[in-house]
Amino acid sequence: MSRYKIAVQVVPRRGLLDPQGKAVADALHSLGFSNVASVYVGRHMVLEVEAADEGTAREQTNRMCAQLLANPVTEDFEIASVLSA
Amino acid sequence: MSRYKIAVQVVPRRGLLDPQGKAVADALHSLGFSNVASVYVGRHMVLEVEAADEGTAREQTNRMCAQLLANPVTEDFEIASVLSA
């Protein structure tokens, strides 16, 4: 078994309203950053997982995202990187 | 002026307690993913910024992180990527 450090990004699905991103964009405008066109806010998670190989680690992470880490109705997830830890 | 799509990651500073990550790790264990050693939960943000060049866009994003997007006491931020949009 090896340990893998897996970075996952969960983002609001494109086309759906992202009220948190809208609020951040408005706050940036108030601070004088008027050149910010839009902001999307999602989650960045780093998981440390014990697995036999990288493929198993990725497959397990996909299942974790589908079952718990991402909302399948409103969010998309992506495994950004898998590193041996 | 060009438009840049900038991905920023804000993570809890290492060594500080991350209660949200702990809660997610416990929930994954309850779902049977007993091989998850730890989870860190941060934010992933995508900003669309108008700027003269990539350097200016990066410099502005660093200022936005320091002023609003990250908590300087408990969080670290990193510009993960800058793409021409």
Side-chain angles (χ1 to χ4, degrees):
Chain A
M1 299 288 268
S2 313
R3 182 170 286 207
Y4 297 93
K5 203 168 185 171
I6 303 171
V8 176
Q9 283 158 9
V10 179
V11 291
R13 191 157 289 167
R14 290 295 153 134
L16 290 187
L17 207 62
D18 175 14
Q20 201 184 351
K22 179 74 172 59
V24 171
D26 289 350
L28 287 171
H29 293 161
S30 304
L31 285 172
F33 295 104
S34 53
N35 57 334
V36 175
S38 70
V39 180
Y40 286 85
V41 180
R43 292 191 300 290
H44 170 73
M45 286 174 277
V46 181
L47 294 92
E48 287 188 8
V49 173
E50 301 273 352
D53 54 50
E54 187 181 320
T56 312
R58 277 182 185 272
E59 182 268 321
Q60 279 219 329
T61 306
N62 275 322
R63 280 196 290 127
M64 290 183 218
C65 287
Q67 283 184 43
L68 182 77
L69 305 178
N71 179 339
V73 179
T74 61
E75 293 175 325
D76 289 317
F77 63 87
E78 183 191 17
I79 296 180
S81 66
V82 179
L83 301 171
S84 280
Chain B
M1 298 288 268
S2 313
R3 181 170 287 208
Y4 295 93
K5 204 167 183 170
I6 302 171
V8 176
Q9 284 158 9
V10 178
V11 292
R13 193 157 288 168
R14 290 294 153 133
L16 290 187
L17 207 62
D18 175 15
Q20 201 184 351
K22 180 73 173 58
V24 171
D26 290 349
L28 287 171
H29 293 160
S30 305
L31 286 172
F33 296 104
S34 54
N35 57 334
V36 175
S38 69
V39 180
Y40 287 85
V41 180
R43 292 191 300 289
H44 170 73
M45 285 174 279
V46 181
L47 294 92
E48 287 188 8
V49 173
E50 301 272 352
D53 55 51
E54 186 180 320
T56 311
R58 277 183 185 270
E59 181 268 321
Q60 279 219 329
T61 306
N62 275 321
R63 281 197 289 127
M64 290 182 218
C65 287
Q67 285 186 42
L68 182 77
L69 305 178
N71 179 339
V73 179
T74 61
E75 294 175 324
D76 289 316
F77 63 86
E78 183 191 17
I79 296 179
S81 66
V82 179
L83 301 171
S84 282

